[in-house]
Amino acid sequence: MNDTITAIATAVGVSAINIIKVSGDKSIEIVSKVFEGKNLTEVKSHTINYGYIIDGKVKVDEVLVSVFKSPKTYTGEDIVEINCHGGIASTNKILELILSNGARLAEPGEFIKRAFLNGRKNLMEVESIEDIINAKTESLRKMGMKGLTGELSNMIKTLKSKVTEIIANIEVNIDYPEYEDAITYTNEILSNRIKEIKESLESILKESKKGKLIKDGITVGIIGKPNAGKSSLLNKLLNEEKAIVTDIAGTTRDIVEGSIILKGITLNLIDTAGIRETDNLVEQIGVQKSEKIIEESDLIITMIDGSKPLSEEDKKILEKIKDKKVIVLINKSDLHTKIETTTLESFTYIKTSIKNNEGIKELLEKIEELFNLNELETSDFTYISNARQISLIKQSLKLINEIEEANSNNIEVDLIQIDLERLWNLLGEIIGETYKEELLDEIFSKFCLGK
């Protein structure tokens, strides 16, 4: 981290402006060598300075140069940002000049990695930035902001401080038994503290399901026999002709995907091949993929042709999905319905006519109800959704259960302290106070060069 790095921070192309970012001890000195205008080494921090980037005596581009002096910067180092005209040639030329005067090209995510290593961001805040960058819904953006502003990490810090307090008091009891102001930690007193921490971890883990829903969306598998209206439903929901629709059974032989936003949550829609017995090899592969989608989906929409009696194939499909979240659509309600709905009493079902756009509103309302989307829409979005963080919360909860059991068996408090220290370290890993170098490389490699 002793060298100075640079990268283009904007998408290179024809645009109003592009930004070249430079960070490191020599960033101001390096840019000064190619800048014609005020002496950047003498300007105040957090100022914007007008001038030109020059190559020798030749002006390359008219620019605005922002100077930020450490430590109150994004990376904690001196930073210079060059705002130039948004052309590929001029942007690349300026980057070339910065590189030739002593900077090196930044690795993916290296700016934010320096912010983390210099204490400007913790690991939960870093991972929230990734969520904000990749956010396709307003809900995910809001959740990302809760992480970026420190509200998520504050929950973990509060838990960690409670564990610290317990460990500190036990240490005092052991090393300074004569110190009367310290709480004497008995198994009974420790029990209440452990219970409090355990309840907090359980609550965080429970709420993380909402966070995962916001981040990953709902995978919706549309299944059924051939020619039941699956592809028509997909096209209707997407409002585009994405899947081929014909009267010929078995037209869809592979999965077709699309997505829509419902109450701020992404519905990942998967139209599958019709499930039936077939001798056609290609269709068999499609059916196998459909059966795999059933296992992977959060919600199954089963299409049944209501103009025909319930077939044995329909019954087999319903048997396969009975333990999943299911909505059965009895399609073709514009024709005479021949299905006895009493056979579907154990399922949520809706009569629809995809052709006449009937039942679509009721379907979306039922999805909202099944996943409590109205509740999510009005929530405060303080949820953990990152897989690494959730895994560590689960490990912490497992450990606190072990600590609780040991304490209930009246194991000496000073022996339980060993596991409490392990818990303290696990909580530290969540916010990045303790970490492995390989983990950092993996996390920061997901960011672009200019981040």
Side-chain angles (χ1 to χ4, degrees):
M1 295 227 311
N2 294 324
D3 51 358
T4 297
I5 58 173
T6 186
I8 300 169
T10 47
V12 179
V14 179
S15 59
I17 61 166
N18 274 330
I19 299 173
I20 296 98
K21 186 187 293 185
V22 191
S23 180
D25 293 342
K26 296 184 178 179
S27 57
I28 298 173
E29 176 189 331
I30 288 171
V31 177
S32 294
K33 293 177 183 178
V34 296
F35 178 69
E36 184 181 281
K38 290 183 179 178
N39 185 343
L40 298 180
T41 61
E42 296 178 356
V43 301
K44 291 182 179 180
S45 181
H46 295 71
T47 59
I48 300 174
N49 305 275
Y50 170 79
Y52 294 90
I53 295 296
I54 55 172
D55 182 7
K57 294 183 179 180
V58 178
K59 291 179 179 177
V60 174
D61 197 3
E62 182 184 33
V63 297
L64 291 173
V65 175
S66 302
V67 175
F68 307 94
K69 297 181 180 179
S70 66
K72 294 183 179 181
T73 68
Y74 184 75
T75 61
E77 305 170 332
D78 287 347
I79 292 179
V80 179
E81 292 184 353
I82 303 168
N83 290 254
C84 63
H85 289 103
I88 296 172
S90 59
T91 304
N92 285 339
K93 180 63 178 177
I94 294 170
L95 180 64
E96 177 191 320
L97 289 169
I98 300 300
L99 290 169
S100 63
N101 277 278
R104 70 163 173 82
L105 192 63
E107 297 173 359
E110 190 169 1
F111 288 97
I112 197 168
K113 184 176 183 179
R114 291 188 175 204
F116 168 71
L117 294 173
N118 288 326
R120 301 296 292 173
K121 300 285 180 191
N122 66 47
L123 212 50
M124 291 186 82
E125 290 167 349
V126 167
E127 288 167 324
S128 295
I129 291 171
E130 184 185 359
D131 286 343
I132 293 170
I133 291 171
N134 296 322
K136 294 180 181 178
T137 67
E138 181 66 4
S139 298
L140 185 52
R141 182 198 66 79
K142 287 179 180 178
M143 190 172 71
M145 282 304 299
K146 288 289 183 179
L148 180 58
T149 54
E151 291 180 56
L152 284 177
S153 53
N154 284 341
M155 292 193 308
I156 305 303
K157 287 177 181 177
T158 299
L159 279 178
K160 194 163 181 274
S161 67
K162 288 178 180 179
V163 177
T164 303
E165 182 185 351
I166 296 170
I167 294 171
N169 274 286
I170 293 173
E171 288 278 5
V172 170
N173 291 167
I174 295 168
D175 296 336
Y176 303 99
E178 72 282 1
Y179 191 65
E180 295 179 356
D181 290 341
I183 299 171
T184 302
Y185 261 75
T186 61
N187 290 110
E188 184 179 354
I189 292 174
L190 186 56
S191 176
N192 294 327
R193 300 290 191 272
I194 291 170
K195 184 181 178 183
E196 186 181 334
I197 294 168
K198 179 182 175 178
E199 286 175 351
S200 295
L201 286 169
E202 286 175 336
S203 175
I204 292 170
L205 192 59
K206 181 181 177 182
E207 294 296 290
S208 72
K209 293 178 182 178
K210 297 177 182 177
K212 192 174 185 300
L213 190 65
I214 292 170
K215 186 171 183 176
D216 298 338
I218 302 168
T219 300
V220 182
I222 305 172
I223 68 164
K225 289 194 314 181
N227 211 26
K230 300 184 298 298
S231 297
S232 296
L233 174 64
L234 178 73
N235 289 342
K236 189 69 70 174
L237 290 170
L238 296 178
N239 198 27
E240 63 174 293
E241 298 299 316
K242 187 147 190 174
I244 299 171
V245 177
T246 74
D247 292 329
I248 303 169
T251 300
T252 302
R253 303 218 172 169
D254 202 352
I255 61 173
V256 182
E257 300 181 64
S259 63
I260 60 172
I261 306 299
L262 179 64
K263 294 287 184 178
I265 302 299
T266 302
L267 300 187
N268 302 303
L269 305 167
I270 306 173
D271 174 26
T272 64
I275 298 175
R276 66 172 177 179
E277 296 292 332
T278 176
D279 295 327
N280 186 292
L281 179 59
V282 176
E283 197 174 350
Q284 284 176 1
I285 295 171
V287 171
Q288 288 169 6
K289 286 187 176 182
S290 298
E291 291 175 342
K292 186 179 179 184
I293 293 301
I294 290 174
E295 297 301 317
E296 296 174 349
S297 295
D298 303 307
L299 171 67
I300 300 294
I301 297 177
T302 304
M303 301 288 295
I304 293 177
D305 185 347
S307 67
K308 300 174 183 177
L310 202 65
S311 68
E312 286 304 314
E313 286 177 327
D314 288 322
K315 292 175 183 177
K316 286 179 182 178
I317 291 170
L318 292 172
E319 181 64 26
K320 282 178 188 281
I321 62 175
K322 65 180 181 180
D323 297 324
K324 303 281 291 185
K325 275 190 178 177
V326 178
I327 299 175
V328 176
L329 296 189
I330 304 173
N331 193 27
K332 304 183 183 180
S333 61
D334 51 306
L335 304 175
H336 178 63
T337 301
K338 295 183 179 179
I339 287 181
E340 291 291 334
T341 54
T342 53
T343 61
L344 300 172
E345 285 180 347
S346 59
F347 295 95
T348 298
Y349 65 86
I350 301 170
K351 290 186 177 181
T352 63
S353 171
I354 306 303
K355 178 182 176 182
N356 295 336
N357 203 31
E358 295 172 6
I360 300 297
K361 181 183 176 184
E362 290 84 353
L363 170 63
L364 296 176
E365 286 174 349
K366 184 55 68 174
I367 295 172
E368 291 175 26
E369 181 185 323
L370 280 174
F371 291 91
N372 299 312
L373 299 190
N374 286 322
E375 180 186 322
L376 277 179
E377 196 177 33
T378 57
S379 65
D380 70 354
F381 296 96
T382 312
Y383 307 127
I384 285 177
S385 64
N386 180 276
R388 180 193 69 86
Q389 297 165 15
I390 291 172
S391 173
L392 289 168
I393 290 291
K394 287 180 177 178
Q395 291 177 52
S396 299
L397 188 56
K398 181 176 181 291
L399 184 53
I400 199 73
N401 283 327
E402 291 172 4
I403 291 170
E404 186 177 52
E405 184 179 357
N407 189 62
S408 65
N409 290 328
N410 293 315
I411 302 297
E412 292 293 332
V413 171
D414 54 339
L415 293 176
I416 293 174
Q417 180 189 345
I418 297 169
D419 282 338
L420 286 166
E421 289 173 353
R422 285 172 57 205
L423 177 62
W424 186 86
N425 282 319
L426 274 175
L427 294 172
E429 279 187 56
I430 297 172
I431 53 181
E433 290 181 354
T434 53
Y435 59 85
K436 295 177 182 177
E437 198 64 40
E438 313 88 77
L439 171 67
L440 294 190
D441 292 341
E442 181 184 345
I443 290 173
F444 293 109
S445 66
K446 297 175 184 177
F447 290 92
C448 62
L449 289 176
K451 193 63 183 173

